[in-house]
Amino acid sequence: MVKEIVSKVTIKPSSPTPNHLRDFKISLLDQLAPSSIYIPIVLFYSASDVSAFGNDIKMISDKLKTSLSNVLTLYYPFCGRMKNNSTVECNDEGVLFMESKVPQELSNILKNPQVHEINELFPFDPYSAEVDYNMAVQLNEFRCGGIGLGVCFSHNIGDGSTAASFLNTWTGTARGESNIVAPQMEAALLFPPMNMDMNLARGMIGHKDIVTKRFIFNGKNISKVRDKLGCFNPTRVEAVTALIWKSAMEAAKASSRERTHLASMMAHAVNIRSRMASPLSKHSLGNLYLPALSPLVQGEEVVGLHYFAEIVSKTVRKVDADYVKKLQGDELPMVLKSLEETRIMVLEKGIPCYGFSSWTRFDFYEADFGWGKPTWVSTIGAPIKNVVILMDTKNGDAIEAWVTLTEHDMVEFERNPEILEFASFDF
């Protein structure tokens, strides 16, 4: 798929950022987030919905640009530039806005999505770009008249929840709603930044022998997985996480030349907005999540799904108000040390750590600019070995899992009996 770039402009906020807001402090949790990468989201809208709004792509482009300019007055850090590892200079330099024509039908993407083709719908590679923008957009017009809006959000400033909040504020602004909710920016007060250089993703991005594939767990099969666990009642996300972790660990064992009994860990990014003693708004800007780390699981014995589900549940649920409060206090150095030790174990000792990030219930499918809700919302996974991103489907009862494994492990993972029983996959 060779796209044709039609235009490239910079969108600035409709009114200047006040001087007293020019230096925006990011939080400690922002500093711990993967540095210099972007959160990639593509919103696909059908030709029929777009044509009902108006066939003029210029009209659509102008509407997007005008509403984006207006919403940037609220999300002013996104149109600034990183000044150092703790400050965004909110200088109103703007966000990148590109337009392209794509020489194929949207239906081809929807029927057989390919990671490398979806990646072309972004203004740059979100995992290896050398750009200064904190946000960038690409409006893609398909041959059929459908569109795909590819958006990249700097992970230095926000997480998946921040991206969803921004998109819904942007779409509400485009529709002319009057009850627009401004983002809350209290993260740096709750988690003050430190003079530190700790990139937990350092050395993990860009392995050559990895592959990303999408696996779909429909609502019926998720219920079957939960029923299989008996009286134990995990959430949808916990059940899918346990199944993928167990299957990936078995795949790694099967693909190992030595057929050794591999040990592994699980890390889950836990959104803490609703878990704090004084819950935060879902519109709170920043990387307001904590990585919950499981104990090391040895692979000597054959253990069932129930075992993994219990570990996942206990690991995720330990991130509660008390845990967050401790992190804000004396236990912070210990937690940071544990995170760094995990990174070293993965890189130097080769112990797999399966990382999960759930973007479910983020309301991406509510993103209606005025021509209807998205037909499909997609990411491209993360080019980091053993990382899984979980997303809702449009009907809300299924989960899409974007799984990245080594090529050898993926071969075994795809033929794992439980994956074949509970998941479908198409590329």
Side-chain angles (χ1 to χ4, degrees), residues 182-204:
Q184 304 299 307
M185 301 188 182
E186 69 275 68
L189 297 176
L190 299 171
F191 301 94
M194 299 174 60
N195 184 15
M196 60 177 294
D197 180 20
M198 183 178 178
N199 184 357
L200 296 175
R202 184 183 295 123
M204 295 188 178

Side-chain angles (χ1 to χ4, degrees), residues 41-90:
I41 301 288
V42 189
L43 309 172
F44 293 94
Y45 298 91
S46 69
S48 58
D49 288 341
V50 173
S51 62
F53 177 82
N55 277 321
D56 187 352
I57 191 67
K58 184 178 184 304
M59 181 192 305
I60 291 173
S61 173
D62 289 344
K63 187 178 185 67
L64 290 171
K65 291 174 183 176
T66 300
S67 55
L68 177 59
S69 178
N70 290 334
V71 80
L72 285 174
T73 63
L74 300 176
Y75 284 85
Y76 51 89
F78 278 120
C79 50
R81 300 292 182 266
M82 292 301 300
K83 186 176 182 179
N84 50 51
N85 72 340
S86 65
T87 308
V88 179
E89 184 180 4
C90 302

Side-chain angles (χ1 to χ4, degrees), residues 403-415:
V403 181
T404 303
L405 301 172
T406 66
E407 293 175 350
H408 295 298
D409 287 1
M410 185 62 78
V411 170
E412 299 295 338
F413 184 82
E414 287 183 301
R415 59 190 181 200

Side-chain angles (χ1 to χ4, degrees), residues 17 35 86 102 108 154 202-203 214 218 240 282 290 347 353:
T17 301
S35 179
S86 65
V102 181
N108 293 339
S154 171
R202 184 183 295 123
R214 182 184 66 159
N218 64 39
V240 171
K282 69 177 183 179
L290 291 172
L347 287 177
C353 181

Side-chain angles (χ1 to χ4, degrees), residues 26 29-40 81-85 124-135 152-158 197-203 205-206 287 289 383-384:
I26 65 174
L29 302 186
D30 294 322
Q31 291 178 310
L32 293 176
S35 179
S36 301
I37 71 171
Y38 292 79
I39 297 172
R81 300 292 182 266
M82 292 301 300
K83 186 176 182 179
N84 50 51
N85 72 340
F124 46 71
D125 186 335
Y127 292 100
S128 64
E130 296 183 0
V131 296
D132 293 330
Y133 295 100
N134 284 334
M135 179 183 167
C152 294
F153 298 90
S154 171
H155 219 325
N156 290 323
I157 297 176
D197 180 20
M198 183 178 178
N199 184 357
L200 296 175
R202 184 183 295 123
I205 296 177
N287 287 282
Y289 70 90
I384 305 174

Side-chain angles (χ1 to χ4, degrees), residues 350-364:
I351 296 177
C353 181
Y354 295 95
F356 292 81
S357 181
S358 174
W359 297 3
T360 61
R361 308 203 185 284
F362 280 172
D363 294 334
F364 287 120

